[in-house]
Amino acid sequence: MCGQFTGWPEQAMDVLWQLQGEPTHATRERYRADRERLVRQPMIALLNEVADTDPRYEDFSVWHYRTDSWWWQNQGAVIRLGRKIEIGLRFSLDGLRIQGAWWYPDPGQVDMFRKAVASEGSGRELSAIVEDVRKKGYDVSGDVMKRPPRGYPTDHSRTNLLRHRSLIAARPLGCEEWLHTPEAVDRVLSAAADLDALLMWLVRHVKRAA
């Protein structure tokens, strides 16, 4: 059982350092227990505290390790807000990173997204939200078509958004001393607040497949 979040121990970085490159099976097994205790369990504790602040954040998963070495070097977690809509966290030697994402869409979701973008009210709302997120330091990306989708004018004022088949806003939160303290909870909640308007727009308009 994971207890109250107190920060990632400084030894967590030492464990991740030992797992850099292409660690052998023996190396992975040697550090498995330490990685679970020092890296993964603090992420679970963090997300439990985040979930306590808002019931929308209660559906979360903290990934285990896979055969690919990347999964041993990066501790990922997601908070699900809607179908294919989530907050993602990643802890690594680079520190903590957050993203808000609608990706790997179900059939029909891309069409729903485009209709909402093309609609004057919801489309203008999303444009303003994306601009605000960028101003807060987030990199906005996704799976973007080279040309506007069929059925929409090529000179549409929101053609850049219409070309998206997924939408991701991400930024690093840093690798400072706060990572090793309970302050990390506040940092995550502040970033989640940055992303809230974007994610809630997506929940309203593309939560369910058509």
Side-chain angles (χ1 to χ4, degrees), residues 12 15 30-40 65:
V15 171
R30 185 182 312 128
Y31 289 100
R32 179 187 290 272
D34 286 342
R35 192 194 182 287
E36 175 68 22
R37 177 173 56 88
L38 300 170
V39 178
R40 184 171 178 272
Y65 335 117

Side-chain angles (χ1 to χ4, degrees), residues 166-188:
S166 65
L167 189 60
I168 303 165
R171 76 174 177 91
L173 297 183
C175 192
E176 286 77 40
E177 185 61 28
W178 58 260
L179 266 180
H180 309 300
T181 75
E183 185 185 340
V185 175
D186 294 330
R187 298 275 182 153
V188 170

Side-chain angles (χ1 to χ4, degrees), residues 85-209:
I85 301 165
E86 62 191 33
I87 295 172
L89 291 169
R90 187 174 76 213
F91 176 77
S92 69
L93 284 175
D94 293 325
L96 193 60
R97 178 183 183 273
I98 192 169
Q99 69 177 28
W102 162 61
W103 56 356
Y104 306 110
D106 286 337
Q109 282 189 317
V110 174
D111 285 341
M112 295 176 74
F113 173 80
R114 288 172 180 164
K115 288 176 182 177
V117 169
S119 177
E120 201 59 26
S122 55
R124 285 190 177 187
E125 181 186 8
L126 180 61
S127 291
I129 290 170
V130 168
E131 181 62 24
D132 182 62
V133 166
R134 283 198 173 104
K135 287 179 179 177
K136 291 176 179 176
Y138 290 80
D139 176 53
V140 178
S141 63
D143 178 14
V144 182
M145 299 172 61
K146 292 182 178 179
R147 298 179 179 84
R150 292 181 181 178
Y152 295 93
T154 57
D155 61 349
H156 194 287
S157 60
R158 291 180 293 279
T159 188
N160 287 340
L161 283 172
L162 284 170
R163 292 190 293 117
H164 276 260
R165 291 181 290 201
S166 65
L167 189 60
I168 303 165
R171 76 174 177 91
L173 297 183
C175 192
E176 286 77 40
E177 185 61 28
W178 58 260
L179 266 180
H180 309 300
T181 75
E183 185 185 340
V185 175
D186 294 330
R187 298 275 182 153
V188 170
L189 289 173
S190 177
D194 290 342
L195 298 167
D196 192 67
L198 174 63
L199 294 170
M200 290 303 101
W201 187 97
L202 291 164
V203 166
R204 291 195 304 274
H205 295 287
V206 300
K207 181 177 180 180
R208 294 181 297 277

Side-chain angles (χ1 to χ4, degrees), residues 51-65:
D52 285 344
T53 70
D54 191 323
R56 294 179 303 165
Y57 300 151
E58 291 177 351
D59 180 12
F60 67 81
S61 295
V62 178
W63 304 136
H64 282 282
Y65 335 117

